[in-house]
Amino acid sequence: MNKIIFFSGKGGVGKTSCASSFAISKINQNKKVLLVSTDPAHSTSDIFEMKINNTITTILDNLDAIEINPEEESKKYINSIRNNLHKIISPAILSEINTQLDAASVSPGTHEASLFDKMLSIINTEIENYDYIIFDTAPTGHTLRLFTLPELLGSWIDSLVKKRKKVVNYKKMSLTDKNKRKNLEHDPIIEILNRRKENLEKARKIMIDQNKLSFIFVLNAEKLPIDETKKAIEILNKYSIPVGTLIVNRILPKNIKDEFFIRKKEHEIKHLKTIYEYFKDFNIIELPLLERDMDFKNINELSNFFKTDKNLV
Ligand SMILES: Nc1ncnc2c1ncn2[C@@H]1O[C@H](COP(=O)(O)OP(=O)(O)OP(=O)(O)O)[C@@H](O)[C@H]1O
Ligand SMILES: [Mg+2]
């Protein structure tokens, strides 16, 4: 049974709605679920009409939720680096570094690295407490960058460690005092980098473990979401990250009288055909377009569509 499920897909296709409905379908099967949202718009709070913040909050029996704010995490992450540096760097250099760290805290790479850190710590600390941890993520590109990060960062960290070891060695050679030399054996920067690398390796292991993690892609039966899903799945496959299930959301009803919607339905049928042909080895679930937009009642209604014999995750 896969425990960690990522809902991904193009902006606005219904990731938050589907992740929430899926969570409800699981608690209805008596499973314990943690729903994690990385959406700064706080849509999960809106759907469940409850204030959910960055600590785990119980929203229903067997359903807990947490909303991570990437910007806040980014600031925390940079501050933790700042605190570590305080211990090892002179105040004069520190003020220069502080300016650079402030700039770094708003850069996109930092957002992703810090978000990734937070997701990992949630996985590591909560995996034993839940049957499922469901991540409702930001639109595709962002999530993919997040997932390809460990590989990219891994070799970057290796090169930083190498450089730092050289610096420490030079320092050691310049010292005559034996005790001072011994102090340098536990260089805090190398330790931080090594811990970082260990975390990334742990993450990578979880990601490629088909029994632990899976991706569910949400799309609409339209050209752009289909194209984006094809590309995203190709990238994930390249990194050996499994995707087995697609949700085609907002399917129009069958009996339409209106001319405009009849033509729209024809397009939908054509796109659905493409989806079933291209993704023939996938589990595909169709969810109907509901009359009203998402609220708790609708989420419950959609959750019924996950009652299927197909092995979704
Ligand atoms: N099956 C559906 N029937 C009717 N409305 C829907 C359905 N699915 C989603 N919606 C509506 O579509 C809008 C977008 O849905 P949602 O917020 O779930 O998408 P998202 O992919 O999470 O968006 P974002 O990329 O901004 O995070 C919302 O207003 C939601 O109420
Ligand atoms: Mg969303």
Side-chain angles (χ1 to χ4, degrees), residues 27-285:
I27 63 166
N28 288 341
Q29 293 167 13
N30 268 329
K31 302 287 183 200
K32 194 159 190 252
V33 179
L34 175 64
L35 181 59
V36 186
S37 158
T38 60
D39 177 3
H42 303 305
S43 311
T44 319
S45 294
D46 292 343
I47 285 178
F48 290 99
E49 292 171 20
M50 228 182 131
K51 175 108 193 69
I52 302 164
N53 47 32
N54 62 355
T55 50
I56 291 178
T57 313
T58 299
I59 46 180
L60 289 170
D61 271 356
N62 275 342
L63 178 61
D64 293 351
I66 179 168
E67 282 192 344
I68 311 173
N69 183 335
E71 216 168 289
E72 250 171 50
E73 290 309 319
S74 210
K75 277 191 202 140
K76 270 196 231 157
Y77 178 77
I78 290 291
N79 280 337
S80 75
I81 296 178
R82 215 189 294 269
N83 287 338
N84 280 320
L85 289 177
H86 264 290
K87 294 175 207 152
I88 44 179
I89 284 175
S90 77
I93 301 177
L94 202 62
S95 96
E96 166 66 15
I97 288 180
N98 268 337
T99 321
Q100 287 176 21
L101 283 175
D102 285 337
S105 71
V106 289
S107 77
T110 311
H111 267 65
E112 280 140 13
S114 53
L115 190 58
F116 196 77
D117 247 32
K118 180 72 184 177
M119 284 175 162
L120 266 189
S121 88
I122 291 177
I123 291 175
N124 285 333
T125 53
E126 302 300 336
I127 194 154
E128 296 306 327
N129 301 333
Y130 294 92
D131 294 305
Y132 292 98
I133 301 181
I134 297 173
F135 285 90
D136 165 24
T137 68
T140 326
H142 194 262
T143 314
L144 289 188
R145 274 209 301 282
L146 208 66
F147 269 80
T148 49
L149 211 62
E151 215 161 87
L152 297 176
L153 285 185
S155 46
W156 183 62
I157 290 178
D158 284 344
S159 72
L160 286 181
V161 169
K162 234 192 207 161
K163 274 191 196 137
R164 180 69 194 167
K165 275 188 176 156
K166 254 191 199 157
V167 173
V168 175
N169 272 341
Y170 284 137
K171 237 184 179 175
K172 252 191 199 163
M173 283 195 292
S174 70
L175 291 174
T176 45
D177 183 331
K178 220 174 161 189
N179 281 337
K180 278 190 181 158
R181 273 218 306 265
K182 207 166 170 37
N183 280 346
L184 283 179
E185 264 158 33
H186 296 288
D187 179 61
I189 295 189
I190 293 182
E191 277 169 17
I192 292 167
L193 290 171
N194 281 339
R195 217 175 307 137
R196 185 119 268 256
K197 182 89 195 288
E198 271 167 32
N199 273 344
L200 288 170
E201 273 160 10
K202 243 192 238 168
R204 179 92 198 117
K205 261 197 206 128
I206 293 174
M207 278 176 196
I208 56 173
D209 185 346
Q210 313 235 353
N211 298 316
K212 266 208 186 114
L213 179 142
S214 59
F215 261 79
I216 293 184
F217 263 83
V218 184
L219 70 163
N220 305 133
E222 292 167 6
K223 187 176 182 313
L224 294 183
I226 295 175
D227 288 348
E228 187 161 320
T229 306
K230 282 182 188 170
K231 272 188 245 153
I233 291 176
E234 249 169 54
I235 294 174
L236 287 173
N237 283 342
K238 227 167 53 194
Y239 285 83
S240 315
I241 298 167
V243 186
T245 299
L246 299 183
I247 297 175
V248 192
N249 187 27
R250 292 210 202 95
I251 297 288
L252 293 167
K254 282 204 178 84
N255 302 318
I256 298 172
K257 304 269 183 317
D258 179 276
E259 269 301 309
F260 173 84
F261 281 104
I262 288 175
R263 279 198 300 280
K264 212 165 164 48
K265 185 75 189 168
E266 282 165 8
H267 282 293
E268 184 183 275
I269 290 169
K270 190 185 85 194
H271 288 307
L272 269 175
K273 195 165 166 270
T274 308
I275 293 173
Y276 279 97
E277 276 168 12
Y278 191 88
F279 300 104
K280 55 179 178 306
D281 297 327
F282 285 69
N283 291 314
I284 299 176
I285 294 178

Side-chain angles (χ1 to χ4, degrees), residues 11-17 39 139 249-250 288-290 292-294:
V13 290
K15 296 177 291 298
T16 302
S17 310
D39 177 3
N249 187 27
R250 292 210 202 95
L289 174 72
L290 300 179
R292 290 167 301 116
D293 55 351
M294 270 325 125

